[in-house]
Amino acid sequence: QEQLVDSGGGSVQPGGSLRLSCTAPLDISNICGIHWYRQAAGKQREWVSFIGTTGFTEYADSVKGRFTISKAKGTVYLQMNSLKPEDTATYSCETTGAGTCPSLSSQGTQVTVSS
């Protein structure tokens, strides 16, 4: 059961940008780290990025320097710049589910990068 709401996907040309959002029903940013994952058709799910409760961030090598994760007022954002066709996938967000943080996930939003 998805309990995070993601949005912002769409179709863009290579080199374009999109900003994904991940919102929880309550502000859990102080107790939950948030991961972004993606899954391309026919491929395994891939971890993309993470933001912790303190604002610490991490990125997969494949997106480092192009994607930026941030958070504000209970929403986590994934700014995606210089998009490539290989970024095409369904993107979803999940909480860490550690300690007091509930295990929550989103349904997923489609990102298509094509000329």
Side-chain angles (χ1 to χ4, degrees):
Q1 182 177 356
E2 295 84 18
Q3 295 151 311
L4 297 176
V5 178
D6 56 33
S7 63
S11 295
V12 296
Q13 293 185 339
S17 298
L18 286 172
R19 188 177 77 160
L20 306 183
S21 299
C22 173
T23 303
L26 298 174
D27 186 355
I28 55 173
S29 59
N30 289 333
I31 59 171
C32 288
I34 299 290
H35 294 278
W36 279 102
Y37 292 90
R38 66 186 181 185
Q39 187 164 22
K43 295 187 177 180
Q44 288 188 332
R45 191 172 76 152
E46 176 188 16
W47 173 78
V48 176
S49 185
F50 167 78
I51 187 165
T53 55
T54 62
F56 172 76
T57 60
E58 289 184 306
Y59 300 93
D61 288 343
S62 59
V63 306
K64 199 171 294 183
R66 300 188 297 121
F67 290 13
T68 303
I69 192 170
S70 62
K71 61 179 179 177
K73 297 182 180 179
T75 297
V76 172
Y77 302 97
L78 187 67
Q79 177 67 43
M80 307 186 297
N81 297 329
S82 302
L83 284 163
K84 303 176 182 180
E86 51 263 45
D87 294 319
T88 295
T90 299
Y91 287 70
S92 60
C93 54
E94 292 184 10
T95 61
T96 54
T100 59
C101 171
S103 294
L104 307 175
S105 62
S106 70
Q107 184 173 4
T109 185
Q110 178 66 36
V111 171
T112 301
V113 185
S114 174
S115 56

